[in-house]
Amino acid sequence: MNLKEKTIKYAKSIGIDLIGFVKSEVFEDLRERINSRKEKDYLSGFEEKDIEKRIDPQLTMKDAKTIIVVGVPYYIHENNINHDTNPEFYGKISRSSWGKDYHVVLKEKMKKLMELMQEELGKIKYRFFVDTGPLVDRHLAYKAGIGWYGKNNCIITENYGSWVFIGYILCDLEIETENHEENRCAKCNKCIDACPTGALMDNYEYNAKRCISFLTQTKEDISYQLREKMGNSLYGCDVCQLVCPHNVNVEGGYDEFFPEEHNYRPNLLELLQLSNKQFKKKYGDIALGWRGNKVLKRNTIIALGNSGDIKVLDHIKKYLEDSSPMIRKYAAWAAIRLDKVRGKKLLEEHLKKEKDPQVISEIKKLYKYYL
Ligand code: SF4
Ligand code: SF4
């Protein structure tokens, strides 16, 4: 059994059945793509800033020889979920954040894999990453033959569609590498047509700054047009994956990714009142947790503002008094969006006591845009 076969065997023994290998070398083919995305301002800003680090694994680990790329599936079939929560106003959380934090799950798996290999092979130098690493994980997964690129910019796999989390391990072992998969995207454009914000383009381009997944995580100001398109999304967005024909009848994901009741259609009115302590308890150990309670509260206000139901105005108005100017600004937006007449009245009253120049100027901007 050669090293590659052994690695695959160990990976399978701990439940990793998506695995591939890439030679650790400079990915020159990425340079132009990243530069072009940067020039067009399509990058989210969450990525590694130094382009050399993104394309050269040696800058992260000097003696890396091979990159082991792994994938774990996370699709949970909705008919297996029997939470009977169905609040009148609920928010959507992306499947990627339904269950246990995938960073933790993947890192545990990768660590275990390397421990098993070291038991047999002795000391191995390695470093592993999930999501926040310097290299482009989707590109590695593609090069490693784990899947192919879809026009929705996801890596699509044979058995699990695009519902896979990707992690990678830089190591000093020489392992035989793979050929990448041929592109099998059906080019049906369903993802492009369904994207609420027009973030996807026909030529496999993707503007991360317009993507709801980015919008629900950014702390930057979100334009009114994009807020309106966010609907009731609280964290992430699955639209372009849900419509993809490669994602129908896929095999289910790990049990760890099954949602807790409060991650599946959470009650927006309850989320509004969540204290920081409650937030930590409920959301601290899922992927959504990293952005904190304030961003979740802002997204909740956007979702309620988009509900089209003036009943929620009574709940929103309290947040015009919030200690955070950012929350007050979004509450002002939601008030006007829900009801121009009552919203304006509320804001007129509020302006009499508002001291923050940014909130005052936001309210004036809202008047101009909506009234
Ligand atoms: Fe568009 Fe949502 Fe896909 Fe982002 S995740 S590209 S917003 S459909
Ligand atoms: Fe490709 Fe169609 Fe899937 Fe988009 S929806 S990734 S075009 S197969």
Side-chain angles (χ1 to χ4, degrees):
M1 197 182 272
N2 65 26
L3 195 47
K4 179 173 161 186
E5 288 162 343
K6 273 184 192 161
T7 313
I8 294 172
K9 186 190 86 181
Y10 283 132
K12 295 231 189 262
S13 76
I14 53 169
I16 299 174
D17 60 2
L18 289 172
I19 182 161
F21 308 90
V22 186
K23 199 168 166 14
S24 177
E25 60 190 4
V26 181
F27 304 116
E28 273 303 338
D29 50 340
L30 266 183
R31 187 189 294 279
E32 201 187 312
R33 187 143 41 106
I34 297 173
N35 274 334
S36 146
R37 295 194 65 204
K38 198 172 168 189
E39 272 163 30
K40 292 177 187 157
D41 198 23
Y42 285 177
L43 296 173
S44 72
F46 294 143
E47 315 86 355
E48 165 64 53
K49 301 274 180 295
D50 182 347
I51 183 167
E52 298 307 324
K53 279 197 184 159
R54 301 204 77 200
I55 65 172
D56 185 355
Q58 256 69 27
L59 294 179
T60 298
M61 188 176 138
K62 212 166 98 223
D63 33 14
K65 295 208 169 61
T66 307
I67 306 169
I68 305 171
V69 191
V70 301
V72 300
Y74 68 91
Y75 187 81
I76 300 295
H77 290 271
E78 250 172 303
N79 43 15
N80 291 341
I81 301 171
N82 51 11
H83 299 323
D84 60 359
T85 44
N86 204 7
E88 187 177 5
F89 302 106
Y90 68 87
K92 278 193 295 190
I93 293 179
S94 146
R95 274 184 158 75
S96 63
S97 195
W98 273 4
K100 195 171 166 187
D101 187 338
Y102 63 90
H103 303 87
V104 175
V105 175
L106 262 166
K107 280 181 178 170
E108 276 169 5
K109 294 263 178 218
M110 291 192 288
K111 188 161 179 272
K112 182 83 194 146
L113 172 63
M114 295 318 283
E115 280 167 3
L116 285 172
M117 302 220 356
Q118 289 194 117
E119 272 173 28
E120 183 176 335
L121 302 167
K123 180 96 183 107
I124 303 168
K125 271 198 187 170
Y126 68 90
R127 290 190 70 189
F128 55 77
F129 299 92
V130 181
D131 216 18
T132 52
L135 300 172
V136 181
D137 49 9
R138 290 180 189 193
H139 193 68
L140 294 176
Y142 164 68
K143 288 219 151 215
I146 283 182
W148 60 91
Y149 272 106
K151 284 193 179 182
N152 56 6
N153 256 257
C154 297
I155 292 298
I156 303 175
T157 66
E158 175 94 45
N159 295 334
Y160 305 105
S162 56
W163 308 104
V164 288
F165 296 125
I166 298 161
Y168 60 91
I169 308 161
L170 302 173
C171 70
D172 64 351
L173 297 170
E174 296 256 21
I175 308 179
E176 198 188 315
T177 53
E178 312 277 325
N179 285 329
H180 57 73
E181 278 259 9
E182 72 176 287
N183 189 337
R184 287 159 53 190
C185 166
K187 301 183 175 66
C188 61
N189 284 6
K190 285 188 178 170
C191 52
I192 297 172
D193 298 341
C195 175
T197 58
L200 298 170
M201 282 148 265
D202 196 28
N203 53 357
Y204 291 78
E205 285 240 61
Y206 159 68
N207 181 354
K209 289 235 167 60
R210 289 190 71 84
C211 177
I212 290 171
S213 193
F214 163 78
L215 297 172
T216 55
Q217 296 177 70
T218 185
K219 290 184 176 174
E220 285 166 23
D221 209 28
I222 305 171
S223 73
Y224 302 150
Q225 294 95 320
L226 288 174
R227 284 181 212 185
E228 291 182 7
K229 306 226 183 275
M230 286 168 70
N232 61 343
S233 297
L234 296 175
Y235 187 81
C237 166
D238 289 336
V239 171
C240 57
Q241 295 196 79
L242 287 168
V243 296
C244 177
H246 292 292
N247 282 337
V248 179
N249 297 328
V250 292
E251 288 180 35
Y254 288 1
D255 289 347
E256 286 100 317
F257 302 129
F258 198 85
E260 297 278 344
E261 210 161 296
H262 53 264
N263 296 344
Y264 183 68
R265 301 184 171 202
N267 185 330
L268 292 173
L269 298 179
E270 280 174 23
L271 282 186
L272 259 190
Q273 297 170 48
L274 210 64
S275 69
N276 288 343
K277 208 167 155 198
Q278 288 165 326
F279 172 84
K280 263 205 175 140
K281 198 164 163 225
K282 281 191 167 179
Y283 297 107
D285 62 353
I286 62 168
L288 173 157
W290 84 284
R291 265 335 212 177
N293 196 17
K294 206 188 278 180
V295 169
L296 180 64
K297 196 157 281 179
R298 176 204 65 187
N299 297 344
T300 305
I301 291 172
I302 295 176
L304 285 168
N306 284 331
S307 69
D309 192 324
I310 53 168
K311 271 206 304 280
V312 301
L313 198 54
D314 287 335
H315 299 274
I316 291 287
K317 72 180 182 196
K318 280 187 235 155
Y319 294 88
L320 287 170
E321 312 299 330
D322 197 271
S323 58
S324 154
M326 190 260 270
I327 294 294
R328 299 207 292 282
K329 277 161 72 172
Y330 279 83
W333 170 81
I336 284 277
R337 170 122 168 97
L338 283 163
D339 186 333
K340 289 189 174 67
V341 179
R342 277 183 64 204
K344 187 176 180 214
K345 244 190 200 162
L346 277 174
L347 297 187
E348 295 283 282
E349 276 308 303
H350 181 70
L351 274 176
K352 290 178 192 162
K353 51 192 176 198
E354 179 60 58
K355 299 267 187 299
D356 189 305
Q358 279 188 28
V359 182
I360 296 169
S361 121
E362 178 72 13
I363 292 174
K364 304 238 160 101
K365 213 170 109 196
L366 283 167
Y367 285 178
K368 258 201 200 145
Y369 188 82
Y370 282 102
L371 303 179

